[in-house]
Amino acid sequence: SQQGEEDPQALSIQEGENATMNCSYKTSINNLQWYRQNSGRGLVHLILIRSNEREKHSGRLRVTLDTSKKSSSLLITASRAADTASYFCATGGVTGANSKLTFGKGITLSVRP
Amino acid sequence: DAGVTQSPTHLIKTRGQQVTLRCSPKSGHDTVSWYQQALGQGPQFIFQYYEEEERQRGNFPDRFSGHQFPNYSSELNVNALLLGDSALYLCASSLGGRGSYNEQFFGPGTRLTVL
């Protein structure tokens, strides 16, 4: 079963615009991670946010986490054509007995030049 | 510093056959997880290996088995292949010790096609 549900399923924007993607989940988590995937290749790790963090930045990426609403958002600022890809959120449990990642179905982002 | 590597890149098999996929983790990592990604879907957790033992398993039948070697590399075996096993198989490595936050790094995947 899939824990994360991304929204929207597809997003098309112009280069230079900001892209906001949302993720909701159902059960308690230890951390939430965002990944990018280009054309059915391997997943590229973008950012991890811990359950006790509310916001995190990495370059043009900004991730927020609201554990009370069980939701997260990924903001990509000043988008580029190279950002065109599928984006997944994945929730993780504590390391040890529950360290698997549970993924959503992903968001397809298209950035038009 | 090599990242996660997987072999082979592509594989074509027929129904009923058996397949073995291989994964070498990122340098310094000791935990390997395997995921199956069907077309248009997110990855689904198969199982995870730590200290050469299966630590956790997802909702996959016993036809899916694995192994981890002393050098932390891992194999995924699938017996009696079905058409529905056609997918991208992803390996991810991480540090499995307690206290880490399970940041997982993925390999490029093996594309398995079952005819």
Side-chain angles (χ1 to χ4, degrees), chain B residues 32-70:
Chain B
V32 173
S33 302
W34 287 92
Y35 294 81
Q36 179 196 65
Q37 186 179 21
L39 202 60
Q41 300 294 316
Q44 297 285 309
F45 176 76
I46 303 175
F47 42 55
Q48 182 182 84
Y49 278 85
Y50 173 66
E51 293 186 340
E52 300 181 51
E53 291 190 359
E54 183 183 290
R55 178 158 70 175
Q56 194 175 15
R57 189 178 182 92
N59 190 25
F60 279 80
D62 292 344
R63 298 186 298 108
F64 289 77
S65 64
H67 187 77
Q68 186 178 36
F69 299 94

Side-chain angles (χ1 to χ4, degrees), chain A residues 67-103:
Chain A
T67 53
S68 66
K69 295 182 179 179
K70 291 187 168 59
S71 67
S72 172
S73 68
L74 171 67
L75 169 67
I76 303 175
T77 60
S79 63
R80 306 166 181 169
D83 295 327
T84 295
S86 293
Y87 290 81
F88 294 89
C89 72
T91 53
V94 298
T95 299
N98 192 27
S99 55
K100 69 176 185 179
L101 290 178
T102 305
F103 286 81

Side-chain angles (χ1 to χ4, degrees), chain A residues 1-2 30-31 33 35 37 40-43 45 48 50 88 92-93 95-101 103-105, chain B residues 35 37 40-45 48 55-56 88 90 95-108 111:
Chain A
S1 63
Q2 293 182 306
N30 174 273
N31 65 81
Q33 303 180 42
Y35 288 85
Q37 185 176 42
R41 299 180 185 173
L43 298 167
H45 188 270
L48 179 152
R50 303 173 184 180
F88 294 89
T95 299
N98 192 27
S99 55
K100 69 176 185 179
L101 290 178
F103 286 81
K105 292 185 178 181
Chain B
Y35 294 81
Q37 186 179 21
Q41 300 294 316
Q44 297 285 309
F45 176 76
Q48 182 182 84
R55 178 158 70 175
Q56 194 175 15
L88 180 68
L90 296 162
L95 280 172
R98 294 191 181 276
S100 69
Y101 277 85
N102 191 37
E103 191 174 52
Q104 296 190 15
F105 294 86
F106 283 78
R111 173 73 63 185

